[in-house]
Amino acid sequence: MDFRLNEEQQMLQDTVARLVRGEYSFEKRLEFSESELGFSADFWKQLGELGLTAVPFPEELGGFGGTGVEVQSVMTELGRGLCVEPYLQSVVLGGGLISQAGNSEQQERWLGGIASGELRAAVGLQEAQSFYNLNDVETRAEKSGDGYLLNGRKAVVIGGHCADVLVVSARTSGDSRDADGISLFLIPADAEGLERRTYPTIDGSKGCDLFLNNVQLGPEALLGEEGKAAEVIEYQTGRAISALCGEAVGAMEVACDLTLEYLKQRKQFGVPIGKFQVLQHRMVDMMSELEQARSMAILAASVADEPQSDERRRILAAAKNVIGRSGQFISEQGVQSHGGIGMTWEYNFAHYAKRLVMINHQLGDDDFHLEAYATLLQAS
């Protein structure tokens, strides 16, 4: 099979690569991360002006009409630059949920702005007790007049502190872990009763917890069919997993490059430490893990926009498992190869390692997806 990008896809990836190289040095990245916003508003604006925030959306909604391959191409370059902008949360996952479940009025209101980069979305699906199980929802949405009254808490909402609209899951019926009874709601950032508590994450992003205290929403806030959001959430998190795989591969590529360069430059006993066979073997193992991760990322991209099936579920679970294990291996072995400098804040390798650790834990870690894969395999 030919896994090379076609001409249009390559042009897209080259565009992102040039933008990241020109605007996202490591020093600037530290400044963006430590700012109040947590990322660069100017860089986000450029993503919108170049049409990169429109990549996954249909052309009739102002998008590029891209598939999982195009989205992953963008994410790979953002991963190489260690970009902290909430592209995954706003464009891929938030925009994806609205695109799939929203009616024409909701799509018209929100997707044009998200596709242009003028609006940002964030997604609140996890709760403190859920441990990767997105069907474990205790946030409640009760009928109130012709609308809904929401109460509960959502945890680790990346980009939620600055989002214009929040897509959250809440239970309209059923027990806390039932798939049936979960609904999605669109909550404006200025909704009364919504409280956001912001904090930094280990990878340099900003997350927040959402506290919903009698948040009154109208009927137009319901996204999709009441009580039937579980399938939509599962499908769109699958697309987000594919995108995360691309970001991870980009970060792993740079982590391997930094480690190899260090082995060539650092000298011990009068020779570069890369001359020592044990470190050569370690570098080979890191590159082998990278190639395996790249292959699984490509496979994930190929099914990201396919109709839901057990085969799609198995591929995405396998890809996330391999990506998580490979990212952790490359991070650990890279730190071992660098020694103490590999853990310092001022050196960029440590930040790539932290991001790879965070990617492993986003949308389910390697153990979670290994169990999911085994369950699907037994059921087939």
Side-chain angles (χ1 to χ4, degrees):
M1 297 178 67
D2 186 0
F3 292 118
R4 291 175 298 181
L5 300 177
N6 61 36
E7 183 178 356
E8 192 174 64
Q9 292 165 344
Q10 189 62 59
M11 288 176 61
L12 173 65
Q13 188 167 26
D14 291 344
T15 298
V16 188
R18 285 194 300 270
L19 178 63
V20 172
R21 283 197 306 269
E23 302 292 334
Y24 232 90
S25 67
F26 175 62
E27 292 73 21
K28 286 185 177 180
R29 192 256 186 192
L30 289 179
E31 292 178 10
F32 300 154
S33 176
E34 294 169 358
S35 68
E36 183 177 354
L37 185 60
F39 59 89
S40 169
D42 289 339
F43 186 78
W44 184 264
K45 182 179 179 181
Q46 290 182 71
L47 290 175
E49 290 173 346
L50 290 170
L52 299 175
T53 49
V55 167
F57 299 111
E59 293 180 8
E60 59 268 22
L61 297 175
F64 179 76
T67 66
V69 176
E70 284 81 13
V71 172
Q72 200 174 95
S73 297
V74 174
M75 290 295 293
T76 297
E77 295 305 322
L78 296 180
R80 289 182 64 85
L82 212 58
C83 300
V84 288
E85 282 65 30
Y87 188 93
L88 177 78
Q89 291 76 19
S90 180
V91 176
V92 180
L93 190 49
L97 289 169
I98 298 173
S99 181
Q100 181 177 349
N103 56 39
S104 57
E105 290 80 7
Q106 291 167 330
Q107 291 175 352
E108 184 177 350
R109 180 181 179 185
W110 297 111
L111 288 186
I114 294 173
S116 67
E118 296 173 358
L119 297 177
R120 287 187 293 268
V123 180
L125 302 177
Q126 295 185 121
E127 299 185 0
Q129 81 290 342
S130 61
F131 193 69
Y132 305 136
N133 180 5
L134 299 184
N135 290 337
D136 189 346
V137 177
E138 293 184 354
T139 298
R140 306 294 300 191
E142 300 176 347
K143 280 284 191 179
S144 176
D146 61 350
Y148 297 87
L149 191 67
L150 271 64
N151 284 281
R153 175 182 176 182
K154 291 297 178 178
V156 197
V157 181
I158 304 298
H161 65 292
C162 62
D164 299 291
V165 61
L166 298 153
V167 184
V168 303
S169 58
R171 186 165 293 284
T172 48
S173 63
D175 293 329
S176 62
R177 294 193 175 187
D178 291 346
D180 281 342
I182 299 173
S183 303
L184 286 171
F185 293 91
L186 294 166
I187 304 180
D190 59 354
E192 187 174 350
L194 172 65
E195 180 184 353
R196 299 186 276 190
R197 296 184 185 174
T198 306
Y199 46 81
T201 58
I202 66 165
D203 62 343
S205 299
K206 273 189 167 57
C208 74
D209 287 356
L210 304 179
F211 294 84
L212 308 173
N213 303 307
N214 293 322
V215 176
Q216 181 70 53
L217 299 175
E220 72 282 353
L222 177 65
L223 188 63
E225 185 179 355
E226 181 181 317
K228 301 298 181 182
E231 292 183 1
V232 177
I233 292 171
E234 182 188 11
Y235 186 83
Q236 291 300 327
T237 53
R239 294 178 66 247
I241 283 172
S242 171
L244 264 180
C245 288
E247 181 187 356
V249 168
M252 281 186 249
E253 288 174 350
V254 177
C256 286
D257 291 344
L258 289 170
T259 303
L260 181 58
E261 188 63 27
Y262 185 79
L263 295 182
K264 290 177 179 179
Q265 292 181 357
R266 176 74 166 89
K267 289 188 176 182
Q268 189 70 35
F269 306 111
V271 296
I273 60 175
K275 293 283 188 180
F276 302 138
Q277 194 175 56
V278 66
L279 294 180
Q280 293 175 358
H281 290 171
R282 177 177 286 166
M283 193 70 237
V284 168
D285 290 341
M286 291 173 65
M287 295 302 295
S288 296
E289 290 290 334
L290 171 59
E291 289 305 316
Q292 187 176 20
R294 182 181 287 117
S295 296
M296 291 304 295
I298 293 171
L299 185 59
S302 71
V303 302
D305 292 308
E306 292 293 312
Q308 186 65 289
S309 65
D310 283 346
E311 179 68 11
R312 179 181 183 268
R313 293 185 178 99
R314 282 197 296 269
I315 289 174
L316 291 171
K320 189 62 167 61
N321 171 266
V322 170
I323 288 289
R325 288 190 298 105
S326 296
Q328 181 170 330
F329 181 86
I330 288 172
S331 299
E332 292 174 351
Q333 298 304 312
V335 169
Q336 289 293 320
S337 299
H338 280 85
I341 193 175
M343 295 290 291
T344 59
W345 183 261
E346 294 80 10
Y347 184 53
N348 54 357
F349 179 88
H351 296 263
Y352 282 95
K354 289 178 180 181
R355 179 56 192 149
L356 288 170
V357 169
M358 180 64 92
I359 287 174
N360 185 24
H361 289 282
Q362 282 186 274
L363 303 177
D365 63 12
D366 53 328
D367 290 335
F368 176 84
H369 285 286
L370 179 62
E371 184 177 348
Y373 183 86
T375 301
L376 287 165
L377 207 59
Q378 290 174 354
S380 63

